[in-house]
Amino acid sequence: MSGSGGPSRDKTRCGSCCTLLVSLGFIVLIYWAIFQPHQIRASVEYAELSNLTVSNASSSSSSSAAAVAVSYHVSVNLTLYNPSKRVNIYYDTLDAELRYRGAVLSPAATATAAASPVEFYQRRKSAQAVRIEFDGKGVAFPGDDDVGKQLEGEVKAGVKLGLELNVDARVRYVFGSIKIRQKPTVWCAFSIPVPSTPGGMGVSFSDDRCWVKYR
């Protein structure tokens, strides 16, 4: 007799837990619906290119093309804007890559990328400037690689180089006591003039809007 109410009590507890979880999920969904449309915006304000050299490695066989090696220093001023009226954002990490025609110019083995500040707190309706620098030393493209040939040709022609900035971020949206983690990716396309003299600097003022996608 004493244990006759056991299964009923278990079902009641289980039902209460399910109701609580559904209620919490509904509350979080409401909060998320409030600020979800207000995703971060980004733009490239300024970029500079210096220490640019492009060279061909000697080829041991006349039938094989020489490899192309490029060294460079690129600085990009990226502006991140939080358009939300209610939500603050913590930026925990910023991992950046520099690309040319889809090919990565900043592999870890031959280049370094640094963002300043690396992490920061951004209040609602505010902008934050982030300086990202890439320092490449002898980044190599195989001799039969079209990207290397195109890069070499554009540098010799002295035209503007079309570059791409890819930034993977880890952020926390903060609304009151609720924090939701997100992983936005910022992709920017911009052009920098090739320096007119060896050791010179190419500068671009663009204010180009970037594309932001949440993973």
Side-chain angles (χ1 to χ4, degrees), residues 163-174:
L163 300 177
E164 302 160 15
L165 174 67
N166 190 88
V167 180
D168 289 329
R170 291 179 180 269
V171 304
R172 286 172 289 157
Y173 284 93
V174 183

Side-chain angles (χ1 to χ4, degrees), residues 44 46-52 70-78 94-100 103-108 110-116 130-139 163-168 186 188 190 192:
V44 171
Y46 171 85
E48 61 183 35
L49 169 66
S50 60
N51 300 337
L52 177 65
V70 57
S71 297
Y72 59 89
H73 182 84
V74 172
S75 296
V76 181
N77 280 13
L78 178 70
L94 294 172
D95 296 320
E97 282 185 345
L98 184 67
R99 298 176 181 176
Y100 170 78
V104 177
L105 271 179
S106 56
T110 52
T112 57
S116 177
V130 178
R131 185 175 179 86
I132 303 176
E133 299 193 40
F134 300 91
D135 199 18
K137 304 293 185 183
V139 179
L163 300 177
E164 302 160 15
L165 174 67
N166 190 88
V167 180
D168 289 329
V186 179
C188 312
F190 59 98
I192 305 182

